[in-house]
Amino acid sequence: MARRLAGEGVKAVVCSAGVNALEGSPPIAEVVTVMREFGLDVSDHVGRPVTAELVKGADVVIGLAREHVRETVVLEPDSYRRTFTLRELVRRGREAGARPAEEELVPWLESLTADRDVETFLGASPDDDVADPVGRPRAVVRQTAAELSDLVEVTVALVWPAGR
């Protein structure tokens, strides 16, 4: 996401944190190998758990599965209307259309969640969740990386059109 936004001239701070991440944990070897194939060196990445402070300071919070959204909103309830799974953000953004040039980010994001209710995030969803490839064969990790790459492309085009 950071590389894609920078390529569009969008000045943004992109942070990575996980609901189950261990502080200081290294990336999984298969992930490092596959991400190199995608032109990214993540070998120096260190894990960190998501915190209420990180969420409070974010304009948008993106998880890969509903459980990530649930846990994030439990940590910081005010983030409910600006926290999405990546697939959900793409789906809702496509339904609404790209963010208009005159509309600020947070109000636009909040408008995407107008019809959302808490039950939306109970359980898992094949429509909204990106399957976790950890422990799976390299081909599955590669497939997940390709899916994420595609979703990031669409997200940037919808949320930050023309480098906004």
Side-chain angles (χ1 to χ4, degrees), residues 42-160:
V42 298
S43 59
D44 290 335
H45 181 79
V46 292
R48 72 173 166 176
V50 67
T51 65
E53 289 304 312
L54 278 174
V55 176
K56 281 180 188 175
D59 290 330
V60 61
V61 180
I62 301 172
L64 297 184
R66 283 183 174 181
E67 71 178 290
H68 304 149
V69 173
R70 279 193 307 271
E71 293 297 322
T72 299
V73 172
V74 166
L75 281 173
E76 180 50 47
D78 289 342
S79 71
Y80 176 73
R81 296 194 56 197
R82 56 188 169 79
T83 302
F84 303 83
T85 68
L86 186 55
R87 280 185 172 181
E88 178 197 18
L89 181 54
V90 166
R91 179 173 45 80
R92 289 178 179 274
R94 282 180 169 157
E95 290 168 1
R99 178 168 63 108
E102 68 280 355
E103 190 159 5
E104 293 296 321
L105 176 60
V106 173
W108 183 78
L109 291 168
E110 290 178 347
S111 74
L112 299 182
T113 62
D115 67 340
R116 196 200 248 176
D117 57 36
V118 174
E119 289 79 24
T120 300
F121 296 104
L122 299 178
S125 167
D127 294 331
D128 285 344
D129 294 356
V130 173
D132 188 346
V134 172
R136 308 286 309 275
R138 185 175 296 173
V140 175
V141 176
R142 190 176 291 116
Q143 180 181 13
T144 301
E147 177 184 6
L148 291 174
S149 180
D150 292 345
L151 288 167
V152 165
E153 288 291 322
V154 174
T155 298
V156 170
L158 289 167
V159 182
W160 295 276

Side-chain angles (χ1 to χ4, degrees), residues 15-26:
C15 299
S16 173
V19 296
N20 297 314
L22 298 174
E23 186 73 45
S25 60

